[in-house]
Amino acid sequence: MSVAAVRQQISKAIADLRLEGKEATAIIAAAKPKVSNAEAKAIGDLYQMVTAPSRPPPGVVICFRPTAEQAALSALDAFFLARGLPFGKNKQGMVDAIDATLRAVPLPLETRRTSLPKKGSLVELDLSSPPSQNGKKAFLDVAKQAFYFSAVEAEGRVFYGPIALSASTKPEPPADKLTPERKAQILAKIEKLERSGQLTWIDAPPDFARGTVLSRQELRDGAVTKLSAMMVRGVDLPGLPARGLRNVNEINSFWVERQEGRFRTQWAQVTMDGRDV
């Protein structure tokens, strides 16, 4: 769609000062498949708005500020990870990717300039640790997956670039841990199945005789109802080569365990398909 559609969905979502999971999904859907800088900044600013701690001046009480459901934050974090956007839980990963690019690629000295090109929607990232006003910075063009490197030199702050952000610098997610994107997809699938009455919960523990539990993944913790996914593969049969451990993010059929309080536990089987990605 367009940045106007994204901003319209954002205004609608936070009108009641509460960002819900379905509202976050609508905002993401309003963005173009190849997210523009303006769209990225609008959604990044929204994330910061609903997660920023309240620090009013002494003696001042702020009664109302925008907040977000955990489902909304999970959906936004998954979106940032999938699109390579420097916000939320993916922000440090993008800083690390830029740092790795700078170590691998010489600075293009012929591009040195004393000001940035007129691109007001570039995303500024502080590369200094701890953050410093006069430290090294990167200004990311998310639409082109490129950035400008900036440092303070004798005559003041200077800029180099654009420098292509190497895709190879993006850290690979561990094979035994669900990515935020995949976790959000699984939670959305469970919610969809429950709404349509297609999720069957059983009170007796499932029989794993026809499969092997590879990994237990927490989906939602710290709530009254706790959800965990048990990732299952087919059993290794005698006479056949043993199957190697698969990345849990690629497993589409698994069991979900639901714990309500301390004494009630139920299980349901979930199967993902191409429409869930």
Side-chain angles (χ1 to χ4, degrees):
M1 293 186 185
S2 66
V3 65
V6 169
R7 287 171 176 160
Q8 182 179 25
Q9 289 292 338
I10 290 174
S11 297
K12 179 181 176 182
I14 63 172
D16 61 354
L17 301 178
R18 182 66 170 172
L19 179 65
E20 299 178 0
K22 60 183 179 181
E23 293 172 332
T25 301
I27 292 167
I28 292 168
K32 298 175 183 175
K34 188 174 181 180
V35 184
S36 69
N37 289 326
E39 289 171 333
K41 284 199 72 174
I43 300 175
D45 288 345
L46 169 67
Y47 188 98
Q48 185 175 9
M49 180 192 306
V50 297
T51 58
S54 177
R55 294 193 180 95
V60 176
V61 177
I62 298 179
C63 299
F64 304 104
R65 67 182 187 87
T67 58
E69 293 180 349
Q70 184 56 50
L73 298 181
S74 297
L76 292 178
D77 275 321
F79 174 70
F80 298 149
L81 180 66
R83 299 294 190 271
L85 303 180
F87 307 107
K89 293 182 179 179
N90 197 45
K91 181 176 180 179
Q92 187 58 48
M94 294 303 297
V95 170
D96 293 342
I98 290 172
D99 184 58
T101 298
L102 290 172
R103 290 198 304 269
V105 179
L107 278 180
L109 300 179
E110 70 279 4
T111 67
R112 187 176 183 275
R113 63 177 78 204
T114 56
S115 63
L116 279 172
K118 294 182 179 179
K119 293 183 179 179
S121 55
L122 292 176
V123 179
E124 180 178 338
L125 291 174
D126 199 325
L127 304 180
S128 303
S129 184
S132 169
Q133 185 65 29
N134 295 321
K136 298 176 181 179
K137 297 181 182 294
F139 294 83
L140 185 63
D141 186 336
V142 300
K144 296 182 178 179
Q145 285 295 285
F147 66 95
Y148 295 85
F149 173 72
S150 176
V152 175
E153 299 182 3
E155 67 273 41
R157 185 166 289 280
V158 296
F159 305 87
Y160 299 87
I163 304 169
L165 184 61
S166 173
S168 64
T169 61
K170 187 175 180 179
E172 289 292 328
D176 62 346
K177 185 176 178 62
L178 286 175
T179 64
E181 179 183 21
R182 188 58 170 166
K183 185 180 291 188
Q185 290 170 353
I186 291 173
L187 287 169
K189 179 69 171 184
I190 294 171
E191 182 180 349
K192 179 180 178 181
L193 291 174
E194 288 212 281
R195 283 202 311 266
S196 61
Q198 297 178 3
L199 197 61
T200 302
W201 294 98
I202 61 175
D203 295 319
D207 180 8
F208 292 118
R210 303 175 69 180
T212 304
V213 177
L214 293 181
S215 177
R216 182 188 185 92
Q217 303 286 323
E218 300 301 329
L219 297 176
R220 188 170 64 219
D221 201 356
V224 175
T225 302
K226 178 180 177 181
L227 288 181
S228 303
M230 289 170 285
M231 320 304 286
V232 179
R233 69 171 177 189
V235 69
D236 296 330
L237 299 176
L240 294 178
R243 302 182 187 182
L245 294 182
R246 293 177 57 191
N247 189 314
V248 295
N249 296 281
E250 299 172 355
I251 295 176
N252 291 318
S253 183
F254 47 86
W255 285 85
V256 174
E257 180 184 88
R258 176 172 70 180
Q259 293 181 320
E260 295 183 286
R262 297 175 56 188
F263 304 107
R264 182 174 174 81
T265 303
Q266 294 179 306
W267 294 264
Q269 192 165 21
V270 173
T271 300
M272 309 286 284
D273 57 43
R275 291 169 297 181
D276 301 316
V277 177

